[in-house]
Amino acid sequence: MSDARFPDGFVWGAATAAYQVEGAVDADGRGQSIWDTFCRVPGAIAGGDTGDVACDHYHRYAEDIGLLAELGLGAYRFSIAWPRIQPDGSGAINQKGLDHYRRVVDELLTRNVVPYVTLYHWDLPQALQDKGGWPARATAYRFADYAAVVHEALGDVVQHWITLNEPKVSSHAGYGSGIHAPGIKDSVLRDRAVHHLLLAHGLSLQALRDGRHAAGQQVGLTLDVSPVAPASDSQADADAARRVDVDSHRLFLDPVLRGTYPIHLDAVEDGDLGLISAPIDFLGINYYRRILVQAGPTGDETVLPEGVPVTSVNWPVQPDGLREVLVDLQTTYPAIPPIYITENGAAYDDVPAEDGTVDDPQRVDYLHGHLSALRTAIAAGVDVRGYFVWTLLDNFEWAEGFAKRFGIVHVDYATQIRTPKTSAGWLGRVARANALPSGDRPA
């Protein structure tokens, strides 16, 4: 295999999340989610934006899947909206919701695009939040019930399942800092949410394996992981970096891959860690940036490195951090399963030209750099099976609203017109060749 090529069978795809793209929040019996509620809190979302319409992917999924296939990307990672399946988070099943996702999967298979289904991408039914949300242990069991319902409906044709996307964000941003739904700031509730999210993973993993399923079914979990380094040589900064790494990464990696927590959590009950650490078929890794930490007067602080370019969300662009993350994971967890990069991408201020085209050379450079780093990690022996760009479409970026664009396809939110950017064509050529272009610069 040449330095530019990826392994035979390497998966190339794009990722989205239900609340960020679907819209149609009142369609076909969908219930309310915590994000529907949070978007109504004054000042919670930039510009007062909501996901009520978003990219209207609920109605335009066939068009969007067609774009994906035409680009040459052979896989689509999307999430199921729990409130579409169980409007109240438990009990009655909304058949119209299941029928919708069956049509999505059928469209993908017709286009020879492989579905990778994420069961939870942060849109908890509001009815369950009203009963305590993720800090309540019962929510983990309700999630397993929901997972079983979806699996019964789609498990005969969907082979690849992801239980949770980034439980750290659900717990830390939702119940710790309060910058995401449901907007709670409580360290005790945050830690309970951490454990119950991971318990939900373990219980749903068991449910998916117990149900009828397609041959070759694989079930995994997606975590967001970054290299963490101290901002200086001081002991205080070194200690701060260790704390951040434990709180952001080891708190989730250790229970899943080792069956232990790096700190004490009061919510753990006998048997929980056995469920959480049951072997998974793959680990999804979302990578966006390195984290540089210093000890501040009121707590540990993330700082920007000097002289490093940043994206429009002020994240430093350091592609080698992806290689660093992957090599560290393999070294720290020797029994780690195969890995998929389930998200990687960048937000830039993409402006259409007068002729309607959207040239995004910064994103092309970003993707080229990160894929080069990924290829180096694979050459070093890390078992990476695929790469999903974040994201297919410009969309509702949570607390940032519609102000930040991560898509390889531009969306005019007023008209819903889709325009593939330069980066979309470039990534499609990489996927078709299963190799990076030759030379030092992206072609």
Side-chain angles (χ1 to χ4, degrees), residues 169-254:
V169 176
S170 298
S171 57
H172 289 40
Y175 297 91
S177 67
I179 62 172
H180 278 195
I184 292 171
K185 300 177 182 180
D186 187 307
S187 61
V188 173
L189 295 182
R190 187 205 82 148
D191 287 353
R192 290 177 184 166
V194 167
H195 179 62
H196 295 145
L197 281 155
L198 290 174
L199 178 61
H201 157 72
L203 290 167
S204 61
L205 176 66
Q206 185 179 65
L208 267 59
R209 288 191 170 144
D210 287 348
R212 69 183 183 117
H213 51 261
Q217 172 178 278
Q218 294 190 327
V219 185
L221 167 72
T222 282
L223 302 176
D224 54 316
V225 185
S226 297
V228 182
S232 75
D233 294 332
S234 73
Q235 187 61 50
D237 285 359
D239 291 342
R242 277 193 293 271
R243 286 191 296 269
V244 168
D245 189 45
V246 167
D247 188 60
S248 297
H249 306 125
R250 310 304 162 183
L251 188 56
F252 300 89
L253 288 161
D254 283 7

Side-chain angles (χ1 to χ4, degrees), residues 7 37 66 168 268 285 301 348 351 412:
T37 302
K168 181 194 78 177
V268 181
I285 293 296
E301 301 172 346
Y348 290 108
V351 179
D412 182 319

Side-chain angles (χ1 to χ4, degrees), residues 219-423:
V219 185
L221 167 72
T222 282
L223 302 176
D224 54 316
V225 185
S226 297
V228 182
S232 75
D233 294 332
S234 73
Q235 187 61 50
D237 285 359
D239 291 342
R242 277 193 293 271
R243 286 191 296 269
V244 168
D245 189 45
V246 167
D247 188 60
S248 297
H249 306 125
R250 310 304 162 183
L251 188 56
F252 300 89
L253 288 161
D254 283 7
V256 172
L257 299 176
R258 288 178 170 163
T260 61
Y261 278 113
I263 61 173
H264 175 74
L265 294 180
D266 290 333
V268 181
E269 296 186 9
D270 289 346
D272 288 358
L273 283 165
L275 287 166
I276 293 169
S277 63
I280 51 179
D281 300 308
F282 65 89
L283 178 65
I285 293 296
N286 293 353
Y287 174 79
Y288 289 99
R289 55 174 172 160
R290 275 198 177 112
I291 297 176
L292 196 62
V293 181
Q294 68 181 15
T298 59
D300 303 329
E301 301 172 346
T302 299
V303 297
L304 285 173
E306 293 183 4
V308 173
V310 297
T311 68
S312 69
V313 292
N314 218 32
W315 291 348
V317 180
Q318 296 174 297
D320 192 58
L322 177 55
R323 179 203 58 80
E324 190 177 341
V325 156
L326 295 172
V327 171
D328 176 72
L329 284 170
Q330 181 171 268
T331 302
T332 306
Y333 305 97
I336 194 169
I339 291 171
Y340 287 85
I341 305 304
T342 39
E343 289 182 25
N344 174 241
Y348 290 108
D349 297 326
D350 308 313
V351 179
E354 289 187 7
D355 64 358
T357 60
V358 184
D359 189 23
D360 56 343
Q362 288 177 298
R363 185 173 290 103
V364 173
D365 285 344
Y366 179 100
L367 295 176
H368 186 272
H370 285 77
L371 288 172
S372 296
L374 175 57
R375 184 62 192 81
T376 301
I378 293 171
V382 183
D383 186 2
V384 183
R385 304 285 178 89
Y387 176 91
F388 292 79
V389 67
W390 184 265
T391 175
L392 178 62
L393 305 169
D394 291 336
N395 60 40
F396 177 84
E397 280 296 335
W398 309 112
E400 299 287 352
F402 294 105
K404 306 301 179 183
R405 294 179 177 269
F406 278 84
I408 59 171
V409 174
H410 180 273
V411 177
D412 182 319
Y413 298 118
T415 64
Q416 293 296 341
I417 292 174
R418 276 81 159 129
T419 304
K421 304 174 188 178
T422 301
S423 59

